[in-house]
Amino acid sequence: MTVSPVTDEAVRRPALMRNITRRDFLKVVGTGAASLWWCQFPLKHLVALEQEPESWPLGIEHFVQSVCDQCPSACGVIGRVVDGKLTKLDGNPRHPTNRGKLCPVGQAGVQLLYNPDRLRHPLEQSPKGSGQWRAVSWDDAINAIVGHLRGLRSRGSPESHAILTGEREGDFDAMMKRFMRSFGSPNYFMSLSARAARTANFLMQGTYTLPSYDFERANLILSFGAPLLENWHSPMQSQRAYGYLRQARRGPRARLIQVEPRFSMTSAKADQWVPIRPGTEAALALGIAYVLIKEHLYDEDFVKHHTFGFDDWQSADGSKHRGFMGFVLEHYRPERVADITGLSVLEIVTLAKELARATPVLAVGGGVTSLYSNATITEMAIDSLNALLGSIEIPGGVIHQRKVEFAPLPEVRPDAIALGGLEKTLRSSGGESVLTLSSNNPETLLESLLSGDPYRITSLWIIDENPVFSGVFGNKWREALKRIPLVVAFSTFMTETAELADFVLPHPTFMERGELINAPAVSSVPVIGLMQPIVKPLYETRHVAQVVLDIAHRVDKTLADDFPWNTVEDFQGGCLEQVFRERRGTMFTDSFEEEHIKLLEERGYWSPTHASPQAFQDDFKKNGGWWDPHYPMQRWGSVFKTKSHQFEFFPQAMADGMEHAHGRMITSGHASNLAKDLLLKRIGLAGEDGEIYLPHYESMKVSGDQASYPFFLMLYQPLTLTALHSANLPWLQEYLVAHLPMRWGSWVEVNPETARQLHLRNQQLVWVESPHGRVKLELRTYAGSMPGVVSCILGQGHTSLGRWARGCGENPLQLVGEHLDSLAGSPALLSTRVKLYQA
Amino acid sequence: MVEPSFDLGQEQQLLKPIGKLGKGFRIVAAVLLAVVGWGAYAYLYQLRAGLGASGMNRPVYWGIYITNFVFFIGISHAGTLISAILRLTQAEWRRSITRAAEVITVLVLFFGVGNILIDLGRPDRALFVLRYAQFHSPLIWDVTSVSIYLTCSIVYLYLPMIPDLAILRDHAPRFRQLYRLLALGWKGTPIQRARLDRIIGVMAVLIIPIAVSVHTVVSWVFAMTIQPMWHSTIFGPYFVVGAIFSGIAALLITMYIVRKVYRLEDYLRDVHFANLGLLLLVMSCCWFYFTFAEFLTSFYGGDPVHMKVFWSKVTGEFAPLFWTMFVSCFIIPFAVLCNRKTRTPVGTLVASVFVVIGMWLERYIIVVPTLLSPRLPYAQATYQPTWVEWSITAGCFSLFILLYMCFTKIFPIVSIWEVREGRKMAIHEVTKRVKTYFPGEIGA
Amino acid sequence: MAHWGMVIDLDKCSGCQACVVACKSENNIPFTSPQEADVGRTISWMEMVQIIEGEYPEVRARFIPRPCMHCKKAPCTRVCPVGATYQNEEGIIAQIYARCIGCRYCTNACPYTVKYFNWRPPEWPEELRSCLNPDVSVRPKGVVEKCTFCHHRLQRAREQARFEKRALQEKDYQPACAQSCPTSAIYFGDLDDPKSTVSRLRKDGRAFTLLEELGTEPRVTYLAEEKIYGRAVV
């Protein structure tokens, strides 16, 4: 028997309990507790982030109806305000434009209101361009401006003051116009979209507005690059119409055919995409016209009664003119059109027959086609299709805007100084834009800012507009702004343009100010929405209209007398009084009521609803707006405001303008023939005399030859980057486009086959180079890209604006040359060829 | 009967490392500790920043943490399972390797579970899996079987260690107090011996289904979803085979190092390596068979959703990893191990290193490509593990090695009593057993 | 008990993403920085899925607004180890943020990849916190989140109806996406009510569900574009 090393004592007690003293016990427990505490500590601080709020919100909620101003659509919104904070923007179901629906840009409005990069108080920069900003009080800023304006008036040169503003219609516009008239300057400029479409409308139908379209009742929409499902003039109008045409209305489902060199969202959702060689849309339209005429498929009745210049005609002086019919039949045989456009003869003929069969049909332009150097003439060709098909002033056709213009009483009484100034309108100094029908173009202003001819502009206000960033003349604007003694920018953000101003005055967002908005840009019937503050202004901002009113009161007595209103609301009251006196229409209602009122008005009934302007005004505020749903069709007497009071295939206004310019040139010493040649050369129109006025196809001006720069550069603005500040709203950056999984940036879209031929890969960085510059972009292969065409989004590449916009993507405008459409004077953004190579 | 107190004699060599920290050990431990520290820092960083610190995204919601989890759980099959099988089959050569194997299991399981915790978005709520356990979730099956497996593995490691602990209690230079506690008053009486043998036998039987279930359930975490190339019926056995495969490889590497460092050439002999090498060869073939079956089935079916994943592995973005895996898991081990001349300790070491790397890649290639090819298109994404993930992974491996090293310094890595017992009883036992096979006398 | 469902008419959808932004705004979904967006961490409970097929000029594009499908046989709820995602009695697949352990098993089990994970703590500049919707909790980092059919709106609508002592009507409860949709392509309502618009539309010849073959029985139904599948001439 061997001795066990285990002692007796050890055997009696369980092994584990042996030799554990109290001290050991305490040690163990203490260490355990300490380590437990240690475990607790970091977990709580490192992981659990939910913190109890300091105070629970009360949750007091109310809703305010207002109007969004981020695009000309001016949709109605309802803001949900909880405890004084705007938590959500929804569409206003009573607003006729959007009926409760709201696009992504409108939804993102809350990020505009609470954007951390907003300007919070007036700033002064001295010296200009130095980037040295100093906060100033509103009084100081206004005093400085008033002082300058007084100087201009006292020196008798009020015309030296100019205003450039973004596109907006309503009481604000009325006030600006009034101010400038009273002050004595003709230099009030508004950046308008699709100027070529407006010009074409003016030439052929007599009004310088965008045409309206009765989409809801059309059976076929032939869109020549109109971005109906993207940033159309009123995206909500076209989108709602689209949804309605697809599945909601009774009867046949309407078709949408998209003619565009890019597989845009509209192309993608269309029933048919017709990829066309860029800039040849006019040829296609005229090729279709050829088939319609040749096959007698056109509306002979409409052409006979309501058009001018279809057949050959003789003018008063006895000279013979070629008619549209003869011209088209001679020049636009489908074979030739096929050569020009890259489409097949069959496609052209099929399109024409389909159009003739489907009436009512709409030929829509105003998008891509307004951005070429041959824009106006192309828009004219598109417009003439509507006339050929009789799609004017019929349900489902082209209709016209019948708006209520604001001009509150009393009338302005400009004094002698003002009258002197008002006469001195700026005029393009000639050159390419001889025929510019509206000299009220920002480019005209720019030209004279740079040349100082015919006089110097010494004061410029830029209101919610960013020409340094958003135009092809960015560098010229930069140069020009440096030369102007006093530049005042009214802006919500520090834009690229505001950076070059002397004073930057913070402008409240649409959620913080009151305004009457005449909307939307393409509505045929008047819709006046009330923008009203949803929340109290967050910062020291002031509504431009109020500032202008204050300035008017302080400049001198003449102006003060012309502005007998203390506040903007008073002025708006004056505007509404005008609406009251129209004696028609109704406050915003639901869609059922709308039908009822329409029916009544169609039969000529209208019951006065309000006893006094004041009652009207109160009710207007309560309902958020007023409109007149009734559009009387075929009031032929007032439809066409052309010389012939008909639709003019041969625009006499254009011929007259040409004649006028020709006359001017002869008086300045040119021989008649020589002058004519020179003139044609300058405006860049080809073709026989007389025929240049008819809608025809002109090859467009392009920077870069095909051999060295094999790709045409298509630029497009997605819906999400519609507004000036959109690039600084994170939601919009996150959901830039739907056709590619792209966020936060820009890229170049290339056909996959083309990329293969160039030995470039998807997602690779490439240089996109034009004769004017180059940018580095990510290449994205996209099956919807035409070979020979590459596309890039517009609206990115800010160097200012805010933390999210700055440095996000590239601005492709640096690639674009300075071509203008000679008739409308608008910059041709689509006029560049590029090459791609590995970066 | 083994006497409780005896002269250690030959087995002195096995007690040599206990309690002695050489210079080499200190240096290696310091380096490993530094890596562990760095890994801990990375984890703290991840805790603070959120899992955004990793390279994971949508749709690659799982990355190398889950890869590590599957890998570590797989390695765990090295010990307990192999040792149990060898015990039950009474393979005499097992005696000197079972301990080394069982330790791997116990340690590595902690890292398997640990990687799941690291992968959790809310590690502070980890205990919710007990509080709100939903038994329809394969993750709960996992929790259940892994915890049972861990418990049993610890017991299974501990029980055969008791006699050794008693030896240590009597002979160890240090920690005698600890050994006394752990030895539970082992005296080596026949009753104790009989009980121990019995319970080890029971555990060995029990542990096999548990071990098989563990890796089956791990595979079911994937296979129970309807995702392409996860939703597969062979995933259970496929994972088990892969687990044993990688486990043996890990064991071989460990054995080689232990033998080298502690000069245990007498105990871990070439025959051990050759035998385990053969086992590795068999598993390599099994692994190839399963992989082939899995891929052929997917390929032949030709379902586009599956094929997207399939091609991404075979020719697409994961092809380099896939073929590296294939070469490491099959070509190299097969080439090295099927030849008797190369089935040496060095040869098996080389094969094992490749197998371990290959099996880690295999887990990665199972987890990530499927996630990268979801059924609906999405914005382009890739998965690129970040420094945080690599650091934590490195920390895990280092800590494992460190703990293993420490274990060898505290406990004998080769079972002393079993070796002794083997020496004493093996011939007798084997003779007895063999007698039952044939009629007549043996050796007659 | 009502069972809520959605029908999305792809023929009407214009791909404008108003629904996506509306959802973002309504549900306090944090926006991601460009860097995070680049690695695929943008959270969009409602997402516009684009499918571009074919080669020029025969290109076909489909744009599919994709909320959570709220499957009747949801693969995600089955795998959740703690019951943080479950199907409530009205068929809405709900997520309990306070219980979610962030294992992301459900995100991987979902064949539609509609579940999102909070990789980082949600962050907004101080100013932008003002527009958070007080009805919806902000999710902490480390948990999974997803479309809830704007469940909080249902609760509100139900309270309102109870207050007005009447039954809940279809128009009382519309998720933010359906409310905003410019082309009215999104319909929402009670699938159990045979007279509801959604019930009627689900029987339309154009109706289909995503990944129908998986048998998940989504409560979101799509109506195919006529251009591709329907009567109209191509």
Side-chain angles (χ1 to χ4, degrees):
Chain A
M1 178 89 190
T2 45
V3 182
S4 159
V6 182
T7 58
D8 291 350
E9 186 213 4
V11 175
R12 279 198 300 275
R13 278 171 64 180
L16 197 70
M17 293 297 291
R18 283 184 55 236
N19 297 338
I20 293 181
T21 60
R22 200 177 59 176
R23 202 178 138 151
D24 287 342
F25 178 78
L26 284 177
K27 243 194 242 166
V28 169
V29 172
T31 320
S35 47
L36 268 179
W37 174 83
W38 189 86
C39 286
Q40 280 295 310
F41 174 77
L43 281 186
K44 201 154 135 198
H45 287 262
L46 293 171
V47 184
L49 273 171
E50 303 98 306
Q51 282 157 7
E52 293 279 306
E54 282 154 29
S55 62
W56 289 99
L58 292 172
I60 297 170
E61 178 185 43
H62 67 281
F63 295 87
V64 185
Q65 47 188 344
S66 184
V67 168
C68 168
D69 81 336
Q70 298 184 83
C71 84
S73 181
C75 299
V77 294
I78 292 186
R80 177 179 176 226
V81 184
V82 182
D83 294 336
K85 287 168 178 171
L86 175 64
T87 61
K88 178 105 202 294
L89 283 175
D90 287 311
N92 182 352
R94 292 160 65 86
H95 197 287
T97 305
N98 58 322
R99 286 276 172 223
K101 306 301 183 181
L102 199 58
C103 79
V105 182
Q107 306 261 359
V110 290
Q111 291 198 328
L112 167 64
L113 174 66
Y114 293 115
N115 203 293
D117 297 323
R118 279 183 56 185
L119 293 169
R120 299 171 190 221
H121 39 69
L123 292 169
E124 184 183 4
Q125 181 178 223
S126 68
K128 179 152 57 186
S130 63
Q132 288 176 7
W133 295 92
R134 174 170 80 82
V136 289
S137 71
W138 272 102
D139 274 349
D140 290 350
I142 290 177
N143 282 340
I145 297 166
V146 167
H148 194 86
L149 292 180
R150 275 193 193 137
L152 291 183
R153 292 266 297 174
S154 63
R155 282 196 297 278
S157 54
E159 70 279 0
S160 294
H161 174 58
I163 293 179
L164 174 66
T165 156
E167 185 173 348
R168 61 211 297 196
E169 290 181 64
D171 71 308
F172 166 80
D173 184 37
M175 180 175 297
M176 291 300 139
K177 281 186 182 142
R178 186 181 182 97
F179 177 82
M180 290 302 264
R181 189 163 165 72
S182 178
F183 185 77
S185 168
N187 296 318
Y188 175 62
F189 297 91
M190 189 183 277
S191 301
L192 292 174
S193 55
R195 262 146 53 192
R198 290 169 201 264
T199 307
N201 204 28
F202 171 75
L203 292 175
M204 304 185 99
Q205 308 196 37
T207 37
Y208 190 76
T209 57
L210 290 168
S212 286
Y213 300 100
D214 188 7
F215 290 123
E216 275 89 346
R217 286 184 281 187
N219 283 336
L220 188 149
I221 298 167
L222 178 65
S223 153
F224 289 84
L228 296 174
L229 302 183
E230 287 130 292
N231 64 333
W232 178 242
H233 309 291
S234 172
M236 291 304 301
Q237 185 212 21
S238 54
Q239 297 224 13
R240 277 184 57 223
Y242 174 83
Y244 179 75
L245 290 175
R246 287 284 150 151
Q247 294 295 338
R249 79 169 179 182
R250 293 214 183 91
R253 172 178 174 279
R255 269 166 62 72
L256 169 63
I257 299 175
Q258 184 78 357
V259 180
E260 195 176 347
R262 196 175 73 79
F263 194 62
S264 62
M265 284 304 285
T266 316
S267 309
K269 293 302 294 188
D271 296 274
Q272 190 185 338
W273 173 44
V274 183
I276 190 170
R277 213 167 273 160
T280 64
E281 284 86 344
L284 175 62
L286 295 169
I288 292 171
Y290 175 95
V291 180
L292 292 176
I293 295 169
K294 187 87 178 174
E295 305 276 324
H296 293 282
L297 295 171
Y298 65 98
D299 187 335
E300 289 179 44
D301 190 53
F302 180 88
V303 168
K304 193 171 159 204
H305 293 108
H306 303 296
T307 67
F308 169 84
F310 185 73
D311 297 308
D312 296 351
W313 56 286
Q314 216 168 9
S315 58
D317 60 12
S319 56
K320 283 194 173 158
H321 292 271
R322 190 70 175 281
F324 179 72
M325 176 170 77
F327 173 70
V328 167
L329 289 182
E330 186 185 338
H331 292 288
Y332 294 96
R333 293 181 60 81
E335 294 88 331
R336 179 172 173 244
V337 172
D339 278 349
I340 298 171
T341 56
L343 304 175
S344 72
V345 172
L346 185 66
E347 273 177 293
I348 297 161
V349 175
T350 314
L351 274 177
K353 295 203 163 170
E354 219 174 318
L355 281 176
R357 208 168 41 225
T359 50
V361 299
L362 275 172
V364 184
V368 170
T369 46
S370 271
L371 299 174
Y372 297 127
S373 68
N374 60 6
T376 305
I377 216 85
T378 303
E379 298 288 1
M380 282 166 64
I382 296 167
D383 237 6
S384 55
L385 279 183
N386 287 319
L388 276 181
L389 292 159
S391 283
I392 294 177
E393 287 290 318
I394 57 163
V398 180
I399 46 183
H400 298 81
Q401 298 195 16
R402 289 182 187 153
K403 292 202 164 166
V404 180
E405 293 287 334
F406 289 143
L409 296 173
E411 283 202 14
V412 189
R413 288 177 303 262
D415 59 9
I417 304 169
L419 286 173
L422 285 170
E423 276 173 13
K424 296 178 190 153
T425 50
L426 291 182
R427 180 174 285 283
S428 287
S429 58
E432 283 193 324
S433 40
V434 189
L435 263 184
T436 300
L437 290 152
S438 158
S439 59
N440 196 20
N441 284 336
E443 286 71 28
T444 317
L445 171 65
L446 176 62
E447 204 180 305
S448 108
L449 287 177
L450 287 170
S451 64
D453 180 55
Y455 48 83
R456 275 192 75 206
I457 302 284
T458 58
S459 162
L460 174 66
W461 295 354
I462 300 177
I463 304 167
D464 274 349
E465 181 63 358
N466 191 3
V468 172
F469 172 81
S470 55
V472 291
F473 299 108
N475 286 331
K476 285 193 172 172
W477 273 107
R478 214 179 279 276
E479 194 48 47
L481 292 179
K482 282 182 194 154
R483 296 190 195 168
I484 307 169
L486 183 67
V487 178
V488 181
F490 294 84
S491 182
T492 311
F493 290 90
M494 183 59 82
T495 61
E496 287 82 355
T497 305
E499 275 180 344
L500 296 166
D502 296 274
F503 285 97
V504 179
L505 303 181
H507 193 216
T509 64
F510 70 89
M511 290 148 282
E512 301 161 292
R513 66 173 202 262
E515 204 167 312
L516 298 178
I517 305 265
N518 226 337
V522 281
S523 165
S524 55
V525 296
V527 176
I528 296 165
L530 172 66
M531 178 194 292
Q532 55 185 341
I534 297 176
V535 292
K536 287 201 199 91
L538 298 186
Y539 308 115
E540 260 185 68
T541 56
R542 281 193 201 175
H543 184 3
V544 192
Q546 187 63 51
V547 177
V548 169
L549 208 54
D550 290 350
I551 290 174
H553 289 162
R554 285 161 69 174
V555 170
D556 57 27
K557 187 153 182 325
T558 322
L559 268 85
D561 287 348
D562 278 336
F563 285 86
W565 305 279
N566 282 327
T567 62
V568 178
E569 286 84 73
D570 296 343
F571 181 78
Q572 289 166 352
C575 296
L576 286 177
E577 207 171 315
Q578 260 186 309
V579 182
F580 171 73
R581 275 195 291 273
E582 287 273 322
R583 299 182 59 77
R584 59 180 175 132
T586 168
M587 293 301 158
F588 284 175
T589 54
D590 53 35
S591 23
F592 179 77
E593 189 77 357
E594 167 190 342
E595 290 304 318
H596 177 73
I597 286 166
K598 232 191 240 175
L599 276 176
L600 283 179
E601 285 202 58
E602 260 165 35
R603 284 159 182 73
Y605 299 110
W606 183 81
S607 66
T609 42
H610 300 90
S612 68
Q614 191 55 45
F616 180 88
Q617 205 177 319
D618 293 345
D619 211 24
F620 180 88
K621 275 195 178 148
K622 207 174 83 199
N623 287 287
W626 170 95
W627 75 309
D628 184 4
H630 173 56
Y631 180 86
M633 291 277 178
Q634 303 188 345
R635 300 248 167 109
W636 293 116
S638 61
V639 169
F640 302 117
K641 299 195 174 63
T642 51
K643 202 170 173 185
S644 61
H645 293 285
Q646 284 178 319
F647 180 94
E648 294 192 347
F649 283 111
F650 181 98
Q652 298 185 71
M654 184 169 160
D656 291 350
M658 190 77 160
E659 214 52 54
H660 195 67
H662 184 215
R664 274 213 314 270
M665 290 185 84
I666 292 175
T667 44
S668 61
H670 292 284
S672 174
N673 284 343
L674 213 65
K676 195 143 236 167
D677 285 349
L678 199 62
L679 195 58
L680 286 178
K681 207 175 148 200
R682 276 194 189 166
I683 60 174
L685 286 180
E688 290 294 301
D689 179 29
E691 290 175 0
I692 61 160
Y693 304 121
L694 290 169
H696 62 280
Y697 165 68
E698 295 262 350
S699 58
M700 59 174 174
K701 285 169 269 181
V702 176
S703 302
D705 59 298
Q706 182 142 13
S708 337
Y709 300 96
F711 304 105
F712 187 79
L713 178 67
M714 287 295 289
L715 301 175
Y716 67 99
Q717 190 161 39
L719 173 62
T720 42
L721 293 180
T722 297
L724 270 186
H725 49 256
S726 290
N728 205 42
L729 307 190
W731 286 337
L732 300 181
Q733 285 283 7
E734 270 190 305
Y735 302 103
L736 271 182
V737 293
H739 67 284
L740 285 170
M742 298 301 288
R743 319 171 190 280
W744 296 99
S746 55
W747 60 92
V748 56
E749 290 163 28
V750 181
N751 182 284
E753 187 50 42
T754 309
R756 219 171 357 256
Q757 283 161 10
L758 293 173
H759 305 292
L760 297 174
R761 288 182 328 274
N762 193 22
Q763 290 178 279
Q764 178 181 9
L765 280 179
V766 293
W767 283 108
V768 180
E769 185 177 316
S770 82
H772 305 284
R774 63 175 195 171
V775 292
K776 200 193 272 181
L777 290 169
E778 185 184 332
L779 182 144
R780 275 280 167 167
T781 55
Y782 178 50
S785 276
M786 277 178 85
V789 176
V790 297
S791 334
C792 182
I793 67 169
L794 206 53
Q796 294 281 43
H798 279 275
T799 55
S800 185
L801 199 65
R803 64 191 74 181
W804 291 298
R806 199 181 304 122
C808 188
E810 293 285 346
N811 188 354
L813 287 174
Q814 42 191 305
L815 301 175
V816 177
E818 298 179 349
H819 295 291
L820 289 176
D821 165 42
S822 33
L823 290 172
S826 54
L829 298 188
L830 305 180
S831 62
T832 312
R833 304 193 69 91
V834 294
K835 59 182 170 188
L836 303 180
Y837 51 94
Q838 194 175 340
Chain B
M1 184 184 155
V2 180
E3 288 123 57
S5 176
F6 52 84
D7 175 26
L8 276 169
Q10 271 175 301
E11 268 69 69
Q12 198 68 50
Q13 178 75 7
L14 294 177
L15 277 187
K16 251 190 180 168
I18 307 293
K20 284 184 208 121
L21 306 181
K23 196 175 162 198
F25 181 92
R26 283 169 207 267
I27 291 172
V28 174
V31 170
L32 290 175
L33 255 180
V35 178
V36 171
W38 178 248
Y41 167 74
Y43 181 62
L44 282 178
Y45 175 84
Q46 176 183 298
L47 265 186
R48 202 178 278 276
L51 276 172
S54 74
M56 288 184 278
N57 53 48
R58 173 176 179 267
V60 190
Y61 283 107
W62 285 344
I64 64 174
Y65 297 145
I66 295 292
T67 305
N68 289 343
F69 157 70
V70 181
F71 174 76
F72 281 129
I73 300 276
I75 294 289
S76 78
H77 283 48
T80 316
L81 184 65
I82 295 167
S83 133
I85 293 172
L86 293 179
R87 263 191 228 278
L88 286 179
T89 53
Q90 296 180 330
E92 285 302 329
W93 59 276
R94 71 164 198 270
R95 291 180 185 273
S96 45
I97 63 169
T98 47
R99 172 91 32 90
E102 286 154 13
V103 181
I104 295 182
T105 300
V106 171
L107 291 181
V108 106
L109 273 178
F110 284 104
F111 292 96
V113 174
N115 266 281
I116 284 280
L117 292 178
I118 289 167
D119 189 58
L120 285 189
R122 303 297 305 229
D124 54 323
R125 297 178 182 167
L127 289 180
F128 282 13
V129 296
L130 305 179
R131 196 160 145 198
Y132 302 111
Q134 301 290 314
F135 282 94
H136 49 65
S137 168
L139 270 188
I140 295 294
W141 309 345
D142 240 352
V143 170
T144 316
S145 68
V146 170
S147 44
I148 295 176
Y149 185 46
L150 182 58
T151 318
C152 291
S153 298
I154 292 174
V155 172
Y156 188 66
L157 167 69
Y158 176 62
L159 290 176
M161 233 160 65
I162 293 175
D164 279 5
L165 289 167
I167 296 171
L168 284 170
R169 175 188 64 201
D170 304 338
H171 297 270
R174 293 191 203 176
F175 315 130
R176 288 203 176 183
Q177 204 74 341
L178 173 77
Y179 300 129
R180 177 162 299 140
L181 259 178
L182 291 173
L184 294 178
W186 176 265
K187 285 188 290 183
T189 60
I191 301 172
Q192 284 182 327
R193 272 298 314 277
R195 279 187 189 152
L196 187 67
D197 276 351
R198 182 122 170 255
I199 196 151
I200 289 177
V202 171
M203 285 306 295
V205 174
L206 244 170
I207 208 102
I208 293 175
I210 294 173
V212 170
S213 86
V214 167
H215 227 68
T216 307
V217 169
V218 167
S219 84
W220 284 349
V221 168
F222 302 98
M224 292 297 149
T225 68
I226 41 175
Q227 302 300 23
M229 294 199 80
W230 279 5
H231 190 52
S232 159
T233 50
I234 70 164
F235 250 39
Y238 185 26
F239 269 51
V240 172
V241 163
I244 300 173
F245 185 34
S246 60
I248 296 171
L251 175 59
L252 275 166
I253 297 173
T254 320
M255 277 164 54
Y256 186 88
I257 296 170
V258 167
R259 160 171 134 142
K260 194 99 193 162
V261 174
Y262 297 134
R263 305 212 173 75
L264 295 179
E265 286 82 357
D266 289 342
Y267 294 89
L268 302 171
R269 304 179 82 107
D270 288 5
V271 66
H272 292 117
F273 288 89
N275 282 356
L276 276 179
L278 267 181
L279 205 50
L280 193 64
L281 177 63
V282 171
M283 294 322 288
S284 176
C285 294
C286 288
W287 178 87
F288 171 75
Y289 163 71
F290 272 105
T291 308
F292 181 72
E294 165 75 2
F295 277 74
L296 182 68
T297 317
S298 295
F299 174 73
Y300 206 91
D303 181 340
V305 180
H306 288 254
M307 289 317 282
K308 215 168 119 198
V309 184
F310 180 91
W311 290 122
S312 79
K313 295 184 185 188
V314 176
T315 56
E317 97 183 87
F318 294 97
L321 296 181
F322 177 84
W323 292 109
T324 311
M325 166 197 86
F326 187 75
V327 169
S328 319
C329 283
F330 185 67
I331 307 278
I332 291 177
F334 189 83
V336 171
L337 298 173
C338 71
N339 189 346
R340 190 176 300 156
K341 282 192 195 122
T342 47
R343 209 157 54 227
T344 56
V346 179
T348 49
L349 174 76
V350 170
S352 298
V353 167
F354 276 104
V355 168
V356 167
I357 294 171
M359 282 310 291
W360 191 90
L361 289 176
E362 193 233 29
R363 306 318 193 185
Y364 183 83
I365 285 168
I366 285 172
V367 175
V368 177
T370 291
L371 291 174
L372 255 181
S373 310
R375 289 167 199 266
L376 295 185
Y378 63 98
Q380 207 68 38
T382 51
Y383 172 60
Q384 211 68 49
T386 57
W387 69 267
V388 175
E389 287 164 286
W390 289 125
S391 307
I392 292 178
T393 305
C396 285
F397 280 95
S398 305
L399 188 58
F400 166 70
I401 298 169
L402 187 64
L403 290 177
Y404 200 95
M405 278 166 59
C406 292
F407 185 90
T408 62
K409 289 290 171 192
I410 304 173
F411 305 105
I413 197 65
V414 172
S415 178
I416 301 172
W417 72 274
E418 279 186 283
V419 170
R420 281 177 71 95
E421 187 190 61
R423 199 176 281 133
K424 278 193 173 173
M425 329 254 281
I427 293 180
H428 174 64
E429 269 183 13
V430 173
T431 316
K432 214 166 83 186
R433 191 185 337 146
V434 174
K435 266 186 188 165
T436 63
Y437 302 162
F438 321 106
E441 281 295 302
I442 297 173
Chain C
M1 191 58 79
H3 279 92
W4 303 102
M6 189 179 272
V7 174
I8 302 176
D9 190 339
L10 299 181
D11 202 32
K12 288 172 108 183
C13 170
S14 67
C16 71
Q17 308 201 75
C19 50
V20 179
V21 176
C23 175
K24 227 49 199 188
S25 174
E26 177 75 17
N27 290 299
N28 298 338
I29 303 171
F31 53 86
T32 35
S33 65
Q35 296 76 30
E36 288 285 286
D38 267 356
V39 295
R41 289 181 182 160
T42 304
I43 301 181
S44 330
W45 293 5
M46 176 61 122
E47 188 173 62
M48 191 61 69
V49 174
Q50 61 274 108
I51 300 172
I52 313 272
E53 292 167 331
E55 277 175 33
Y56 175 86
E58 302 299 326
V59 196
R60 277 194 340 199
R62 302 191 79 180
F63 301 99
I64 304 179
R66 191 240 54 214
C68 171
M69 298 291 130
H70 294 275
C71 310
K72 204 165 169 186
K73 299 192 174 147
C76 62
T77 55
R78 265 181 259 158
V79 300
C80 180
V82 294
T85 182
Y86 70 103
Q87 184 160 178
N88 76 10
E89 65 275 24
E90 286 173 288
I92 292 174
I93 308 293
Q95 189 87 24
I96 309 173
Y97 309 124
R99 189 184 287 182
C100 176
I101 59 170
C103 68
R104 307 186 299 292
Y105 197 1
C106 59
T107 58
N108 288 343
C110 173
Y112 307 95
T113 21
V114 305
K115 307 195 95 179
Y116 293 82
F117 183 70
N118 284 278
W119 299 103
R120 292 188 184 278
E123 271 168 9
W124 289 270
E126 195 46 44
E127 293 87 344
L128 276 172
R129 293 193 79 90
S130 299
C131 59
L132 293 182
N133 183 356
D135 297 350
V136 178
S137 56
V138 172
R139 281 74 59 188
K141 76 175 173 195
V143 302
V144 170
E145 60 179 65
K146 63 180 279 293
C147 158
T148 61
F149 272 169
C150 289
H151 187 253
H152 56 282
R153 289 190 172 206
L154 172 61
Q155 289 168 334
R156 272 178 81 102
R158 189 169 283 144
E159 266 170 40
Q160 186 71 27
R162 199 180 300 139
F163 176 71
E164 291 170 12
K165 297 199 170 56
R166 58 178 176 82
L168 190 69
Q169 290 165 349
E170 193 173 300
K171 66 172 174 24
D172 292 341
Y173 168 35
Q174 293 284 308
C177 51
Q179 186 188 359
S180 72
C181 179
T183 59
S184 306
I186 304 180
Y187 304 88
F188 187 81
D190 180 6
L191 299 176
D192 282 355
D193 174 5
K195 289 194 294 270
S196 69
T197 317
V198 283
S199 295
R200 184 172 52 78
L201 288 173
R202 263 158 76 103
K203 296 190 197 95
D204 193 289
R206 294 188 290 129
F208 71 100
T209 56
L210 283 185
L211 307 179
E212 227 158 328
E213 66 277 14
L214 298 180
T216 50
E217 299 184 25
R219 288 199 178 84
V220 176
T221 307
Y222 293 90
L223 302 178
E225 303 90 335
E226 291 211 352
K227 175 173 74 160
I228 297 174
Y229 299 100
R231 303 174 279 263
V233 202
V234 173

